Amino acid sequence: MQSEINKKLEAKQIKPTPMRQLVLNLLLQEPSALSLRELEEKFDKVDKSTIYRTLQTFQAHYLIHAIEDGSGSLRYAVCEENCTCEPHHLHFHFLCLKCQHTYCLHDYPIQIPQLPEKYQVISANFVIKGICPNCKA
Amino acid sequence: MQSEINKKLEAKQIKPTPMRQLVLNLLLQEPSALSLRELEEKFDKVDKSTIYRTLQTFQAHYLIHAIEDGSGSLRYAVCEENCTCEPHHLHFHFLCLKCQHTYCLHDYPIQIPQLPEKYQVISANFVIKGICPNCKA
DNA sequence: GAAATGTCTGCAACCCGGTTGCAAAGTCAG
DNA sequence: CTGACTTTGCAACCGGGTTGCAGACATTTC
């Protein structure tokens, strides 16, 4: 699995440091997107700025994407294989108002409406809010 | 026009205080959604907490809606006539990455995909980012 | 292997949006 | 006018995000 992690890092031209391996590992294991603070809490003694910069690096290399779910903090989740974070690669996200988890709805690609010509679309962030299956019970 | 403002306030059962009249007036005049800070700057000597609470009141009465555009601050815009801020009343928003203005795309109602039954949808926030017609030039 | 270079990490501090407690000012019914 | 309630202004706080800097670590070059 370690080699699994490293392969993913190197595929995106990211030098695999211990810190980065750990963070990526956590992100891969989690079914929901994690915030900076949530990541921080999973470590005992790692500074948030280190994690922050790790996440910045990951984003710059399209390894993860940030989700603005309106919960007050950004959430991060690993991108799909060949994602370039362009609009046609994006999917919906679901924020559960009860457990406050945010899930990638990978099977639900977003569709951006045809806007008037003069609008140039670069990116998008579609968040649906409600109660997730786990909390509905 | 003053009576116009008051009518809107009273239609939503909001007592028309001077502060509220001014804030609503500003929101109505602006073509883009305004942040707390932007509103604050339009006044000379009004405290942000007052504006903040005014906006909270407006939201609670469905007079305005807040937009999480990912710019770091919430933006507020006046709702359409009979809006209840439920998903089927919502529209797309467009954040211009150049001028940082956020526009309501009233003519583009959002469409939420049919999720598996166990997801209960309550609300949504769809933001498209790019360059707006004014900045494209 | 030691020196020099560059990258990564930890700490502290800061910025800024949002939020709250509290007291003063304003509103309004009796 | 008085007392009850609402609204406003001030100050302070909280928490996420961000940055500067110095020390740790890795990598190259000789």
Side-chain angles (χ1 to χ4, degrees):
Chain A
M1 15 229 61
Q2 199 65 321
S3 69
E4 194 54 38
I5 300 281
N6 282 352
K7 229 192 283 178
K8 276 185 192 289
L9 286 170
E10 279 156 7
K12 304 279 184 175
Q13 268 106 50
I14 303 171
K15 201 201 301 184
T17 70
M19 195 65 241
R20 290 171 182 171
Q21 290 166 346
L22 289 170
V23 171
L24 177 54
N25 191 37
L26 283 176
L27 287 174
L28 283 169
Q29 276 175 10
E30 221 36 54
S32 64
L34 291 173
S35 67
L36 179 53
R37 162 172 275 244
E38 284 164 344
L39 280 166
E40 206 185 341
E41 282 166 357
K42 287 182 183 292
F43 291 101
D44 247 11
K45 261 203 135 341
V46 179
D47 191 74
K48 68 171 176 169
S49 68
T50 302
I51 302 175
Y52 171 73
R53 283 189 266 236
T54 300
L55 294 170
Q56 294 299 108
T57 305
F58 285 1
Q59 273 186 96
H61 290 78
Y62 304 122
L63 176 57
I64 63 173
H65 59 281
I67 306 151
E68 296 150 2
D69 63 6
S71 69
S73 50
L74 291 168
R75 301 289 177 82
Y76 302 90
V78 180
C79 288
E80 311 237 66
E81 203 60 33
N82 292 311
C83 177
T84 58
C85 291
E86 287 167 289
H88 61 279
H89 281 145
L90 304 177
H91 47 263
F92 283 93
H93 291 103
F94 190 92
L95 167 65
C96 177
L97 298 172
K98 202 160 169 191
C99 67
Q100 289 291 323
H101 285 116
T102 294
Y103 300 94
C104 287
L105 300 176
H106 283 121
D107 298 339
Y108 295 83
I110 68 171
Q111 240 177 325
I112 296 180
Q114 187 64 42
L115 299 180
E117 285 225 5
K118 305 205 92 187
Y119 285 91
Q120 182 190 341
V121 174
I122 294 176
S123 167
N125 186 57
F126 291 10
V127 178
I128 303 170
K129 305 184 186 183
I131 311 294
C132 76
N134 291 336
C135 290
K136 190 131 182 232
Chain B
M1 13 231 65
Q2 199 65 320
S3 69
E4 194 54 39
I5 300 281
N6 282 352
K7 228 192 283 179
K8 276 184 193 291
L9 286 171
E10 279 158 6
K12 304 278 184 176
Q13 269 107 50
I14 302 170
K15 202 200 301 182
T17 71
M19 196 65 242
R20 290 171 182 170
Q21 291 167 346
L22 289 169
V23 171
L24 178 55
N25 192 38
L26 284 175
L27 287 174
L28 283 169
Q29 277 175 9
E30 219 41 50
S32 64
L34 291 173
S35 67
L36 178 53
R37 162 173 274 245
E38 284 163 344
L39 280 167
E40 207 184 341
E41 282 165 357
K42 286 182 183 294
F43 291 101
D44 248 10
K45 263 204 136 338
V46 179
D47 191 73
K48 68 171 175 169
S49 69
T50 301
I51 301 176
Y52 171 72
R53 285 189 266 235
T54 300
L55 294 171
Q56 294 299 109
T57 305
F58 285 2
Q59 273 187 95
H61 290 77
Y62 303 122
L63 176 58
I64 64 174
H65 58 281
I67 306 151
E68 296 150 2
D69 63 6
S71 70
S73 50
L74 291 168
R75 301 288 177 84
Y76 302 90
V78 180
C79 289
E80 311 237 65
E81 202 60 32
N82 292 311
C83 178
T84 58
C85 291
E86 286 167 289
H88 60 279
H89 281 144
L90 304 176
H91 46 263
F92 284 94
H93 291 103
F94 190 93
L95 167 66
C96 177
L97 298 172
K98 203 161 168 189
C99 66
Q100 289 291 321
H101 284 119
T102 295
Y103 300 94
C104 286
L105 301 176
H106 282 122
D107 298 340
Y108 295 83
I110 68 171
Q111 239 176 327
I112 296 179
Q114 186 63 43
L115 298 180
E117 284 225 6
K118 306 204 91 188
Y119 286 92
Q120 182 190 342
V121 174
I122 294 177
S123 166
N125 186 56
F126 292 11
V127 177
I128 303 170
K129 305 183 185 184
I131 310 294
C132 76
N134 290 337
C135 290
K136 189 129 181 234

PDB file of all heavy atoms in Angstrom, chain B residues 19 33 38 74 78 112 133-134:
ATOM      1  N   MET B  19     -32.474  51.682   9.172  1.00  0.00           N
ATOM      2  CA  MET B  19     -31.367  50.805   8.793  1.00  0.00           C
ATOM      3  C   MET B  19     -31.794  49.798   7.735  1.00  0.00           C
ATOM      4  O   MET B  19     -31.126  49.581   6.725  1.00  0.00           O
ATOM      5  CB  MET B  19     -30.920  50.069  10.065  1.00  0.00           C
ATOM      6  CG  MET B  19     -29.587  49.415   9.981  1.00  0.00           C
ATOM      7  SD  MET B  19     -28.294  50.620   9.774  1.00  0.00           S
ATOM      8  CE  MET B  19     -27.675  50.129   8.194  1.00  0.00           C
ATOM      9  N   ALA B  33     -24.533  40.616  -6.265  1.00  0.00           N
ATOM     10  CA  ALA B  33     -24.763  40.328  -4.855  1.00  0.00           C
ATOM     11  C   ALA B  33     -23.678  40.986  -4.008  1.00  0.00           C
ATOM     12  O   ALA B  33     -22.523  41.058  -4.411  1.00  0.00           O
ATOM     13  CB  ALA B  33     -24.757  38.820  -4.631  1.00  0.00           C
ATOM     14  N   GLU B  38     -18.871  44.794   1.722  1.00  0.00           N
ATOM     15  CA  GLU B  38     -19.204  45.761   0.685  1.00  0.00           C
ATOM     16  C   GLU B  38     -20.326  46.682   1.144  1.00  0.00           C
ATOM     17  O   GLU B  38     -20.314  47.884   0.885  1.00  0.00           O
ATOM     18  CB  GLU B  38     -19.594  45.038  -0.607  1.00  0.00           C
ATOM     19  CG  GLU B  38     -18.401  44.481  -1.358  1.00  0.00           C
ATOM     20  CD  GLU B  38     -18.788  43.430  -2.387  1.00  0.00           C
ATOM     21  OE1 GLU B  38     -19.930  42.919  -2.318  1.00  0.00           O
ATOM     22  OE2 GLU B  38     -17.953  43.106  -3.229  1.00  0.00           O
ATOM     23  N   LEU B  74     -19.654  35.598   2.293  1.00  0.00           N
ATOM     24  CA  LEU B  74     -20.999  35.372   1.779  1.00  0.00           C
ATOM     25  C   LEU B  74     -21.457  36.599   1.015  1.00  0.00           C
ATOM     26  O   LEU B  74     -21.083  37.720   1.336  1.00  0.00           O
ATOM     27  CB  LEU B  74     -21.957  35.105   2.936  1.00  0.00           C
ATOM     28  CG  LEU B  74     -21.762  33.789   3.672  1.00  0.00           C
ATOM     29  CD1 LEU B  74     -22.572  33.776   4.958  1.00  0.00           C
ATOM     30  CD2 LEU B  74     -22.192  32.639   2.780  1.00  0.00           C
ATOM     31  N   VAL B  78     -31.340  40.051  -3.213  1.00  0.00           N
ATOM     32  CA  VAL B  78     -32.767  40.033  -2.958  1.00  0.00           C
ATOM     33  C   VAL B  78     -33.416  38.860  -3.682  1.00  0.00           C
ATOM     34  O   VAL B  78     -33.094  38.585  -4.838  1.00  0.00           O
ATOM     35  CB  VAL B  78     -33.407  41.357  -3.407  1.00  0.00           C
ATOM     36  CG1 VAL B  78     -34.907  41.346  -3.137  1.00  0.00           C
ATOM     37  CG2 VAL B  78     -32.749  42.526  -2.678  1.00  0.00           C
ATOM     38  N   ILE B 112     -31.608  19.799  -9.838  1.00  0.00           N
ATOM     39  CA  ILE B 112     -30.914  18.856  -8.981  1.00  0.00           C
ATOM     40  C   ILE B 112     -31.139  17.460  -9.523  1.00  0.00           C
ATOM     41  O   ILE B 112     -32.277  17.082  -9.800  1.00  0.00           O
ATOM     42  CB  ILE B 112     -31.417  18.977  -7.530  1.00  0.00           C
ATOM     43  CG1 ILE B 112     -31.072  20.372  -7.000  1.00  0.00           C
ATOM     44  CG2 ILE B 112     -30.816  17.895  -6.660  1.00  0.00           C
ATOM     45  CD1 ILE B 112     -31.524  20.630  -5.601  1.00  0.00           C
ATOM     46  N   PRO B 133     -19.474  38.982 -18.668  1.00  0.00           N
ATOM     47  CA  PRO B 133     -19.537  39.765 -19.907  1.00  0.00           C
ATOM     48  C   PRO B 133     -18.834  41.118 -19.793  1.00  0.00           C
ATOM     49  O   PRO B 133     -18.125  41.534 -20.710  1.00  0.00           O
ATOM     50  CB  PRO B 133     -21.042  39.953 -20.118  1.00  0.00           C
ATOM     51  CG  PRO B 133     -21.652  38.751 -19.476  1.00  0.00           C
ATOM     52  CD  PRO B 133     -20.800  38.462 -18.277  1.00  0.00           C
ATOM     53  N   ASN B 134     -18.979  41.765 -18.655  1.00  0.00           N
ATOM     54  CA  ASN B 134     -18.347  43.075 -18.498  1.00  0.00           C
ATOM     55  C   ASN B 134     -16.828  43.008 -18.574  1.00  0.00           C
ATOM     56  O   ASN B 134     -16.181  43.918 -19.095  1.00  0.00           O
ATOM     57  CB  ASN B 134     -18.724  43.686 -17.139  1.00  0.00           C
ATOM     58  CG  ASN B 134     -20.182  44.090 -17.099  1.00  0.00           C
ATOM     59  OD1 ASN B 134     -20.800  44.325 -18.133  1.00  0.00           O
ATOM     60  ND2 ASN B 134     -20.729  44.141 -15.907  1.00  0.00           N
TER      61      ASN B 134
END
